[in-house]
Amino acid sequence: MRNKLIEEAKKVLLGNKKKGYTLPTNNKLYPAQWKWDSGFISLGYSYFNLKYALDEITTLLRGQWKDGMIPHILFHDLKTNYYPNHSVWNCGNKIHSSGITQPPVLAIILKKILDKNKIEILDKVKIKSIVQKLKKYHEWLIKYRDPKNTGLVSILHPWESGYDNSPLWDYSMNEVKVEKNLKYKRGDNKVINPEYRPLDADYDRYVTIKNHLRKNKYNPKKLYNKSMFNVVDVGFNSIFLRANKDLLELLKSFNLEHNKLKKFILKSENQIEKLYNEKKGVFTNYDIRNKKKIIVPSITNYFILFADLKNQTINKKIIKNLKNHNHTKKYIFSSIKPNHKKFEEKRYWRGPVWINCNWIIYQGLKNKDKNFANKIKEKTINLIKKNGFFEYYSFKTGKAFGASNFSWTASLFLDLVMEKKYN
Ligand code: GLC
């Protein structure tokens, strides 16, 4: 059974593979290369084809902008029905792309791959060049998304978080005034049941923010202050803190300059604690544009465990709270706490279980609460075994929703079931 599933997971990845990169799914929902998907996909390949693993990252980095930004989508194939497509984004360097980024998981993934594989001398040159490009990307995030040097970076569009439709953004999105005479044609709700996809009212705002970024020529210097959306998100910053820690190790191992990064890490570690609400024992977001604390019980707030904070008192409290999220249920973790008013069983990012969220939290718990970590791992594997490699699942019934043959679900499944071999 286990081996059969491992073979199936590999088949999902190979089935979605194009030249040098891999689609998130084999249906028409996401016909391009997505940034954090590619990170997770690369980890999956690393268990059976190291070349494919490195190619996935290298291709993504070919689309890196001159200033260092790595776009959240690269449009290798221009003839698709996806909206917003390459022509409405109207940007890119070498490869047509979107004009925003996505969670910085690449340094974390690369370090994981290097930790468990012997790398040949020839590959070392390739990897050093990847590390240098990632350094440039992290410097871009620090320079333009934290221009006031606070230690925390902002996202300027909900899509940058990767949890696009989360209730985390509802307050800030309500403040966005929809562009007059907005005209566009969505493609996503023709491929997938609209009940599982964002509402038109939300989409109008996504598109309005995007158009505004384009009007400002995606100029990162201007946009921190001008953007219609500017939020310091716990999940994104937790991933960034962890990625910075891993990048630091990578830079050291290639004898590359790392002093500035070291300082930034210290600052972030201190500042991120300011997002902690001691009374409730949870981390909360901050909307910079509207000067407002956002308290929504999103599973992504627990990504803080992945950041490996030194503060054990906070870690313990967070774990205690996580255990109240919904862990006694058969299917964990709902993206939003089930008793919250914004919880929806089927709509994406507003309730369903996502394998990458479980995986991130599992990674964060491994060195803090092994029993709990193993429980999460077991439940995640069982959910996939029972329901297949889908985009997301109902936390109530385990029923699968969204796209089938989902690449990151297959990849992270491979990592969960095969990691022991190497640990
Ligand atoms: C959706 C998700 C995003 C993901 C993309 C491709 O937009 O919200 O996180 O990267 O699909 O799978």
Side-chain angles (χ1 to χ4, degrees):
M1 174 78 174
R2 203 179 111 121
N3 285 345
K4 199 177 147 239
L5 274 163
I6 289 177
E7 288 317 307
E8 273 177 28
K10 292 181 187 172
K11 243 171 105 188
V12 168
L13 289 179
L14 295 173
N16 294 343
K17 192 167 174 343
K18 299 279 164 192
K19 211 167 163 256
Y21 73 98
T22 308
L23 299 172
T25 158
N26 67 349
N27 76 9
K28 295 199 168 88
L29 189 62
Y30 306 120
Q33 183 177 20
W34 258 261
K35 179 173 177 274
W36 77 330
D37 299 60
S38 269
F40 298 129
I41 288 166
S42 167
L43 183 62
Y45 279 136
S46 73
Y47 286 97
F48 64 102
N49 192 324
L50 199 54
K51 180 180 173 323
Y52 288 177
L54 294 181
D55 282 356
E56 191 72 31
I57 297 179
T58 310
T59 305
L60 189 69
L61 293 174
R62 272 207 296 123
Q64 182 169 29
W65 286 13
K66 287 204 181 95
D67 63 4
M69 203 273 276
I70 305 177
H72 98 298
I73 303 177
L74 294 184
F75 298 101
H76 298 284
D77 175 5
L78 304 185
K79 293 182 289 299
T80 69
N81 285 332
Y82 183 77
Y83 185 88
N85 61 18
H86 74 283
S87 73
V88 298
W89 279 106
N90 193 32
C91 56
N93 174 38
K94 290 186 195 149
I95 304 171
H96 288 281
S97 75
S98 68
I100 55 174
T101 192
Q102 241 190 352
V105 296
L106 292 174
I108 304 168
I109 300 291
L110 184 67
K111 179 159 184 303
K112 271 194 172 297
I113 294 176
L114 297 186
D115 284 349
K116 70 181 172 66
N117 280 288
K118 266 213 183 106
I119 305 294
E120 303 296 329
I121 308 256
L122 262 183
D123 278 338
K124 275 208 173 132
V125 178
K126 210 186 210 175
I127 289 163
K128 186 172 180 186
S129 141
I130 295 179
V131 172
Q132 283 166 318
K133 288 176 180 148
L134 292 181
K135 179 171 188 264
K136 198 169 168 197
Y137 172 57
H138 284 222
E139 286 168 354
W140 178 88
L141 274 172
I142 293 171
K143 182 168 176 192
Y144 294 116
R145 295 309 182 84
D146 180 24
K148 296 187 181 136
N149 206 9
T150 65
L152 299 174
V153 293
S154 287
I155 54 170
L156 303 187
H157 194 300
W159 290 344
E160 292 203 307
S161 70
Y163 15 107
D164 307 11
N165 196 31
S166 168
L168 276 173
W169 322 125
D170 288 1
Y171 171 82
S172 318
M173 289 281 272
N174 271 333
E175 297 297 305
V176 172
K177 243 175 115 191
V178 175
E179 192 181 307
K180 269 189 203 149
N181 305 320
L182 192 64
K183 271 199 199 102
Y184 66 96
K185 238 196 201 152
R186 286 175 70 168
D188 64 311
N189 54 7
K190 313 280 178 304
V191 186
I192 295 287
N193 184 341
E195 273 178 44
Y196 313 156
R197 299 293 303 175
L199 301 173
D200 283 343
D202 290 321
Y203 232 89
D204 286 351
R205 290 181 169 82
Y206 297 144
V207 175
T208 298
I209 305 172
K210 171 193 73 64
N211 289 350
H212 179 256
L213 296 173
R214 176 178 164 175
K215 264 180 223 136
N216 283 283
K217 300 194 167 64
Y218 308 103
N219 181 338
K221 261 191 207 148
K222 277 197 203 157
L223 281 167
Y224 183 86
N225 291 318
K226 279 188 99 169
S227 176
M228 302 170 105
F229 181 97
N230 182 336
V231 174
V232 170
D233 172 57
V234 180
F236 192 97
N237 276 279
S238 302
I239 291 175
F240 192 42
L241 182 49
R242 169 62 184 264
N244 277 328
K245 288 178 179 177
D246 286 348
L247 181 63
L248 184 71
E249 296 308 313
L250 294 172
L251 292 172
K252 281 184 191 163
S253 67
F254 283 98
N255 280 324
L256 294 165
E257 192 281 323
H258 54 263
N259 280 336
K260 265 201 198 144
L261 185 68
K262 213 170 161 182
K263 279 192 195 133
F264 187 80
I265 291 173
L266 284 176
K267 188 170 247 170
S268 304
E269 179 107 15
N270 271 326
Q271 289 303 307
I272 209 162
E273 283 188 17
K274 299 212 166 125
L275 299 176
Y276 182 59
N277 179 320
E278 209 171 336
K279 230 165 110 196
K280 296 199 160 120
V282 292
F283 276 81
T284 61
N285 277 2
Y286 188 68
D287 177 332
I288 297 225
R289 186 178 163 88
N290 301 299
K291 298 192 175 57
K292 171 109 178 146
K293 272 193 190 152
I294 312 283
I295 305 190
V296 173
S298 164
I299 196 65
T300 58
N301 296 338
Y302 293 97
F303 289 180
I304 194 70
L305 295 164
F306 195 37
D308 260 342
L309 293 191
K310 288 193 192 76
N311 189 326
Q312 296 309 335
T313 320
I314 291 189
N315 284 339
K316 272 193 194 137
K317 268 230 171 128
I318 288 293
I319 294 172
K320 202 170 153 213
N321 242 305
L322 176 61
K323 287 184 174 165
N324 286 326
H325 190 84
N326 72 326
H327 99 291
T328 52
K329 297 286 184 307
K330 198 163 166 194
Y331 305 111
I332 51 164
F333 284 112
S334 55
S335 33
I336 296 299
K337 199 170 174 169
N339 60 4
H340 189 257
K341 58 181 188 295
K342 293 285 178 73
F343 172 88
E344 287 184 64
E345 185 193 350
K346 298 173 187 166
R347 206 178 298 281
Y348 102 142
W349 294 117
R350 302 182 80 86
V353 178
W354 290 78
I355 300 304
N356 64 339
C357 293
N358 284 8
W359 183 87
I360 288 173
I361 289 169
Y362 166 67
Q363 300 303 323
L365 277 172
K366 267 188 198 172
N367 61 354
K368 300 178 190 71
D369 187 335
K370 226 178 167 92
N371 279 342
F372 190 21
N374 282 335
K375 197 177 260 172
I376 293 167
K377 174 169 166 163
E378 195 189 308
K379 287 190 178 192
T380 306
I381 291 175
N382 286 341
L383 176 64
I384 301 172
K385 265 188 190 165
K386 202 170 150 211
N387 300 281
F389 300 102
F390 274 80
E391 191 178 4
Y392 43 93
Y393 307 84
S394 158
F395 117 90
K396 289 185 182 163
T397 62
K399 188 173 176 302
F401 295 111
S404 56
N405 293 296
F406 203 66
S407 298
W408 84 37
T409 301
S411 271
L412 298 177
F413 175 82
L414 285 175
D415 184 58
L416 290 176
V417 297
M418 293 178 82
E419 63 167 354
K420 270 226 172 86
K421 281 193 183 168
Y422 299 93
N423 278 352

